[in-house]
Amino acid sequence: MIKIRTASSDDAPVLASLNGIVHELHAGHRPDLFIGSPEQDVLEAFFVARLTDPSVTAFIAESTDGRTLGYAQARVVSWDSSALVRSDLVILLDQIAVVPDASGMGVGSALLEAVREVGREAGCRRLVTEVWDFNEGARAFYDTAGFRRMNVRLDQLL
């Protein structure tokens, strides 16, 4: 069984550690954008700062014996309208990671549902996230979870 709990700033060391699961993949594919090995104290301070933001919620997934299985971090964001687009209230999934030996056990789905519930309670209309093109595992996870492509971000070195 998987237990999902809301993270607090006391969980910053755990979140910083879990972040390494995805960060290593990102740094390996895009070393021009991602720091190879972020300092643990800097990462912890990052998570403490994020968790003091009232728009941010983080969750930690644990097994019944208390083993940490993954985390998710999301924030409620209000998008302003313009002459071309409607305003919107969305929940942005900024980060999600599952420990490799818990992959396929429903941890990611449970974390995603916790994020959806925060969005529903906040009155959000949609859950939005981004995924790097090289992250085939995440793309497959989001496809299975019912996400659809909204846009594609491109970059070019100058």
Side-chain angles (χ1 to χ4, degrees):
M1 177 173 234
I2 301 163
K3 176 185 157 194
I4 305 295
R5 67 175 176 83
T6 303
S8 72
S9 57
D10 292 339
D11 292 307
V14 173
L15 296 170
S17 177
L18 289 168
N19 176 263
I21 296 167
V22 174
H23 188 81
E24 287 180 22
L25 177 69
H26 292 162
H29 281 85
R30 289 302 303 260
D32 59 318
L33 297 176
F34 292 94
I35 295 169
S37 297
E39 303 276 337
Q40 182 74 11
D41 60 333
V42 174
L43 277 175
E44 289 178 22
F46 167 79
F47 282 106
V48 167
R50 290 304 298 259
L51 291 170
T52 60
D53 179 337
S55 70
V56 173
T57 303
F59 295 102
I60 294 178
E62 297 174 334
S63 64
T64 52
D65 63 1
R67 186 170 73 98
T68 303
L69 302 174
Y71 85 106
Q73 178 184 282
R75 59 195 159 102
V76 174
V77 177
S78 178
W79 287 343
D80 294 332
S81 64
S82 73
L84 302 173
V85 296
R86 300 176 192 278
S87 63
D88 208 354
L89 185 65
V90 301
I91 187 155
L92 292 176
L93 176 62
D94 288 324
Q95 300 174 353
I96 188 169
V98 174
V99 297
D101 65 341
S103 181
M105 295 173 40
V107 176
S109 296
L111 287 164
L112 201 54
E113 187 53 36
V115 169
R116 286 184 184 117
E117 188 56 33
V118 167
R120 289 182 195 109
E121 289 174 6
C124 296
R125 198 172 66 88
R126 296 182 298 129
L127 167 59
V128 178
T129 194
E130 291 184 1
V131 62
W132 288 88
D133 193 52
F134 58 77
N135 195 340
E136 294 176 14
R139 290 190 355 244
F141 169 74
Y142 291 127
D143 286 345
T144 300
F147 284 76
R148 60 189 169 123
R149 289 181 187 230
M150 189 170 108
N151 61 13
V152 177
R153 183 184 288 182
L154 307 171
D155 81 331
Q156 180 181 63
L157 294 177
L158 301 177

